[in-house]
Structure formats: structure tokens, C-alpha cells
Amino acid sequence: MKERLEALKLEAIGKISESHDLKDLQAVKVSYLGKKGPITEVLKGMGKLSAEERPVIGAYANEVRDSIQLEIDKKQAILEEAAISEKLAKETLDVTLPGRPVKHGNAHPLTSVVTEIEDLFLSMGFTIAEGPEVETDYYNFEALNLPKNHPARDMQDSFFITEDILLRTQTSPVQARTMEKHEGTGPVKIISPGKVYRRDNDDATHSHQFMQIEGLVVDRNVRLSDLKGVLETFAKKMFGEDRKIRLRPSFFPFTEPSVEMDISCFKCSGKGCSICKQTGWIEILGAGMVHPNVLEMAGFDSKEYTGFAFGMGPERIAMLKYGIDDIRHFYANDIRFLKQFKNV
Ligand SMILES: [Zn+2]
């Protein structure tokens, strides 16, 4: 009987080592160690043995069973590892491959400049007002002290849609509309950024579509010195703390008096260079005290209220700030141009 067990053990170990996968191994396990397997059969025949032989054979049978189980366990570990390696080899996904970076766009340089200007005026207590780009003649011109046939209308070649409707030539109609809403009661403190349109032959400094940001403050006791203070703060924040400003007399139909504001050149600090055309000063914006007629037309008592207004071109400011030499770049959508403003 012992020989029989010994033979079974060798046979089983042989079958185990021949197993090529876990399924084979499981079959070997069932056939040798299962309830209907040969070892169980041997044990069932132990009743015929003598009392001396029985424990010896019993112990040996257990020994054989244990060593077969041990061989199965060892082989199982080897086969499992092989299965994992095979799976890894088969799968083409390489988890160590770096991912493809998601392409980030960036704000258009004009958008960046407008946002910067907006933030600056918001921090000074202004709010943002918007209005329609398709405007009536009344708000675009008449309410701004530019009656029909006024010669100053020639300064703004316009896209008329009908005799009374046009693409706005300036953001000033937003001022008229906002003042009207206030029904003669101050204070009004807004900036109005937006697109405007004028018939123009496009070149390096002219575009038939461009942007404006205007500001308007109406209240009791608003003076030219208040305008100067606001503009000076703007110039320093936008172009550097050591900027100086100067105001030159000018003409706009909707302000009286009217001024142009220059800033001291940020490139040469006043010595003279190509940016400031050797003058040391750069023209930045137009401004002035709101004309009494404009206040009256919008429902304000011009004896009680005064105000100031200013208007600037974000394109010009962006061109100065970033050294852009052609206004058409802003509207050409050339990705090589736009990508240069990733970090502004
Ligand atoms: Zn200069």
C-alpha cells in the first residue's frame, strides 16, 4: 500500500509539472486530491490493514497528500505570475506614456487690455454700462449736441442703415442712455466699453471697426480737477507709476471745455524716441466737462449738475503697451500673432 501511495505521489508531481495553465492544474488537483481520487480510495481500504500498519499508512497518506498540495501551490504561483506577464505583454496601453497636454487658448490682446482698464475703473467705483451697437441717430448724435447738419458730424463717417438708424460711431450714446435712465438725479459714474464703426479705409492705424471705452461722471460739484485726478490715476496704473500727464485744449461737440490727455513717454521717459515721435509725450485720450446741452437733453439741470467724460481707444492702448505696429493685427485672427499674448 505504501508503494501504491509513493507511485501516486510521483505520478501527481509529474502531472503537476506538465500543467501549462491554471485550468490544467485544477484538473490535476481534482483528480488526485478530490473525494473520488486515488488517495481517498487508498484510505478507504485502510480498514483491511492491521492495527500496527494502520497509523503508519495513515500518516504516510497524509504526507503524500500534503506534498502534492504543496507542489500544486508552488505551480499555481508560477502559473499566475506567467498569466499576469502574458496579459501585460498583450496589452498595448503603455501607462508610463506621458499624456497629451490640453491646448489652452489665451485671451485676445484687446480683451486683456479692456479687462485691465475695466478692473482699474471698477476699483475707482465706476460701474460698467452697455448699449446697442445698432443705434438711432438721436442717441448717436443729437443727444450728444450734434444736431442734424452739424459740421462736426463730418469727423465720423458713418454706416447708416436707414436715415435714422446707424452702426454707432462711438460709445457715447451709452452715456446719453444712462443719463436718461437716471431721470435727472445723480450721481452717474460709468464706463462703457464696446465696439464702434466708422467708414474708413483700413490701414496700419485705421480700422472700420474698433473699440472705445468711455467714462462719464455726473454729480454736484464735479470739476475739471476731478477729471485730471482720475486720468492721472489711470495713466499711472496703466503705464507706470512715474508717468506724468498733460492736458491740451481740444474740441469735442459734447464737452466744454475739451482736452486731449498725453502721458510722458514710457519708453524714453521724455528724452524723445520713435514711439513718442521725439516729443516725449504720447497722446492717449480725449476728455472734457460734459456740455450743458448734453446734460439738459438727458434730463439733468445743468445749473445743479456738472460732469466729466473721457474716451479712449483700447487698440491704441494695446498697441502702445505691447509694441504692436498695425491695428489690422487685432482683427486678422492670425494665430501666430494671437499666441504671442499668452502671458499678458
Ligand atoms: Zn519716447
Side-chain angles (χ1 to χ4, degrees):
M1 198 165 257
K2 197 173 173 183
E3 285 82 50
R4 170 91 181 112
L5 284 169
E6 183 68 26
L8 279 172
K9 179 177 151 187
L10 290 174
E11 197 183 298
I13 289 172
K15 289 256 173 82
I16 289 165
S17 69
E18 281 164 21
S19 299
H20 292 302
D21 55 39
L22 291 165
K23 212 173 139 194
D24 283 356
L25 190 65
Q26 183 61 23
V28 173
K29 185 177 175 179
V30 171
S31 66
Y32 284 90
L33 301 180
K35 279 179 186 156
K36 288 172 186 164
I39 293 173
T40 315
E41 285 302 310
V42 170
L43 292 173
K44 274 182 189 162
M46 291 229 307
K48 292 171 195 153
L49 296 174
S50 65
E52 293 86 50
E53 277 180 315
R54 215 176 287 155
V56 180
I57 293 300
Y60 190 66
N62 284 334
E63 210 176 286
V64 166
R65 192 200 299 235
D66 287 350
S67 43
I68 291 173
Q69 183 65 55
L70 188 70
E71 286 303 313
I72 288 172
D73 289 348
K74 274 195 226 160
K75 185 71 178 182
Q76 187 168 348
I78 291 165
L79 287 175
E80 276 171 357
E81 193 150 317
I84 290 169
S85 309
E86 194 189 355
K87 203 177 169 194
L88 281 178
K90 258 194 219 161
E91 285 179 358
T92 51
L93 179 73
D94 180 355
V95 294
T96 65
L97 205 69
R100 290 191 189 92
V102 178
K103 277 185 189 157
H104 282 272
N106 53 276
H108 190 283
L110 265 183
T111 308
S112 302
V113 162
V114 170
T115 307
E116 193 179 343
I117 296 171
E118 282 176 353
D119 287 347
L120 214 159
F121 282 103
L122 286 173
S123 75
M124 288 194 269
F126 286 73
T127 54
I128 293 171
E130 286 178 330
E133 288 175 28
V134 179
E135 188 54 278
T136 62
D137 185 274
Y138 176 79
Y139 285 113
N140 194 77
F141 290 125
E142 283 184 52
L144 301 165
N145 204 27
L146 276 160
K148 286 196 164 67
N149 304 319
H150 191 292
R153 283 197 182 198
D154 285 349
M155 289 159 72
Q156 302 178 11
D157 268 345
S158 316
F159 290 112
F160 273 93
I161 293 163
T162 68
E163 205 172 304
D164 204 41
I165 295 172
L166 72 160
L167 296 180
R168 67 180 180 191
T169 59
Q170 48 194 352
T171 48
S172 319
V174 181
Q175 298 187 19
R177 287 174 176 276
T178 308
M179 280 192 281
E180 233 178 52
K181 269 186 218 147
H182 275 75
E183 294 177 338
T185 330
V188 179
K189 202 173 177 188
I190 56 152
I191 55 164
S192 56
K195 289 196 276 291
V196 301
Y197 307 84
R198 292 184 196 181
R199 205 208 62 77
D200 225 329
N201 292 319
D202 292 4
D203 62 21
T205 51
H206 295 85
S207 169
H208 62 278
Q209 176 200 314
F210 56 100
M211 289 197 77
Q212 278 190 342
I213 297 183
E214 294 198 353
L216 170 73
V217 173
V218 176
D219 206 352
R220 293 181 179 89
N221 303 318
V222 174
R223 291 164 302 186
L224 188 67
S225 53
D226 298 319
L227 169 66
K228 196 182 169 204
V230 166
L231 294 184
E232 198 159 12
T233 306
F234 162 74
K236 285 177 189 294
K237 293 273 186 252
M238 203 69 192
F239 294 101
E241 280 303 321
D242 46 357
R243 291 285 69 73
K244 290 187 187 71
I245 69 161
R246 75 174 183 189
L247 303 178
R248 288 180 288 110
S250 185
F251 168 77
F252 302 108
F254 29 83
T255 47
E256 182 61 38
S258 303
V259 295
E260 301 268 2
M261 181 189 82
D262 299 337
I263 60 167
S264 55
C265 181
F266 49 83
K267 185 80 180 290
C268 65
S269 299
K271 285 188 211 77
C273 69
S274 60
I275 289 181
C276 60
K277 296 179 186 127
Q278 312 304 328
T279 63
W281 294 94
I282 301 171
E283 190 183 319
I284 293 290
L285 55 77
M289 300 306 290
V290 181
H291 197 290
N293 289 356
V294 174
L295 288 170
E296 294 286 343
M297 282 188 85
F300 278 85
D301 181 351
S302 64
K303 287 187 184 66
E304 194 184 346
Y305 282 98
T306 49
F308 65 75
F310 55 86
M312 66 187 97
E315 282 90 348
R316 177 162 169 75
I317 290 176
M319 286 167 88
L320 287 168
K321 213 170 152 76
Y322 304 132
I324 298 164
D325 57 5
D326 195 321
I327 195 171
R328 289 169 293 193
H329 285 315
F330 292 121
Y331 299 106
N333 277 336
D334 187 334
I335 204 87
R336 292 166 302 179
F337 168 74
L338 297 172
K339 272 204 296 203
Q340 297 173 43
F341 300 92
K342 237 174 181 152
N343 300 314
V344 300

